[in-house]
Amino acid sequence: MAKFVISRRKFLTSASLGVSGIMLSGCDVFDSQLGVGDGLRSFLEGANGLTWRAQRLLAGDSLAPEFTEADIRQPQRPNGVTAPDDDVYKGLLANNFADWRLEVSGLVEKPLTLTREQLMNMPSRTQITRHDCVEGWSCIAKWTGTPLSLVLDQAVVKPQARYVMFHCLDTIDRSLSGDIKYYGSIDLIDARHPQTILAYGLNGKPLPVENGAPLRVRVERQIGYKMPKYLRKIELVDGFANIGGGKGGYWEDNGYDWYGGI
């Protein structure tokens, strides 16, 4: 089942992310059918990097489009894991996440352990934005949360840090070697973007389980898979070669574009 999902999502990535997505989703085909190995794969991944740099140059510090409440036509569509069946998550949910903590660690001067209430007492941002899924659908919703930049400032990021790695509570893959929890990353430029928030509210209500409670990431200039749900830890790193498959996230390790910009 997992192989089917990955293959389908790779195909849809091609349609949604343009040329770089097409090249990456085709890597496995080239490797298996044409006998091409790591050389072509490395070339295509390099082209992916060029796409990221081009998107960064064009986007600059611009904001993603924001909408009005009249544009909210339906509830936010859930996707992927919508009810984690892990015992740890179930225990936290049973107590309405009173025992949940967000850990901020890695390349920081002041590691943090924050409750949901502490996050909610920090200055917040509310934004009505469009969620674009790699599977081809979009949905407009109102998100409320703590700007990630405020959390990073409180933790005092060390100069050598380059990326923010998100570690989650939901199991995305199970195998004989063990469960794989969802993980993903963004760079510090997107982490400090004013629309990048740690969302605890959706459409004026607490964030529902199916949409990532108690906390999820919103990175409004990127595709949905770059916005992890069920967040438990933020880790500041200078690279991610030793995390998972070394590409910066679960789906990236399975062929997706790392930047995932829109």
Side-chain angles (χ1 to χ4, degrees), residues 125-192:
R125 177 184 173 90
T126 296
Q127 55 203 28
I128 301 176
T129 51
R130 188 184 67 205
H131 181 100
D132 292 305
C133 181
V134 72
E135 293 183 346
W137 55 267
S138 299
C139 190
I140 294 174
K142 180 168 71 172
W143 303 92
T144 299
T146 306
L148 177 54
S149 61
L150 297 183
V151 175
L152 298 180
D153 288 344
Q154 188 170 329
V156 187
V157 177
K158 292 183 178 181
Q160 61 267 41
R162 296 179 59 199
Y163 304 100
V164 176
M165 180 67 65
F166 301 108
H167 301 274
C168 304
L169 288 163
D170 56 318
T171 299
I172 188 69
D173 196 3
R174 285 191 164 92
S175 66
L176 294 177
S177 59
D179 294 348
I180 299 175
K181 304 292 186 181
Y182 195 84
Y183 56 97
S185 65
I186 57 176
D187 63 23
L188 282 174
I189 295 175
D190 281 312
R192 292 191 175 279

Side-chain angles (χ1 to χ4, degrees), residues 59-116:
D61 296 327
S62 63
L63 298 177
E66 296 195 15
F67 302 85
T68 69
E69 297 213 10
D71 296 311
I72 302 174
R73 309 289 175 81
Q74 63 188 61
Q76 174 63 31
R77 178 176 173 176
N79 193 38
V81 175
T82 57
D85 60 358
D86 305 74
D87 290 339
V88 171
Y89 184 84
K90 288 180 177 179
L92 293 169
L93 175 61
N95 199 24
N96 195 29
F97 301 109
D99 299 322
W100 172 88
R101 299 291 185 272
L102 175 67
E103 178 185 342
V104 184
S105 61
L107 296 175
V108 296
E109 299 288 351
K110 299 178 180 180
L112 304 174
T113 301
L114 300 170
T115 66
R116 186 169 56 169

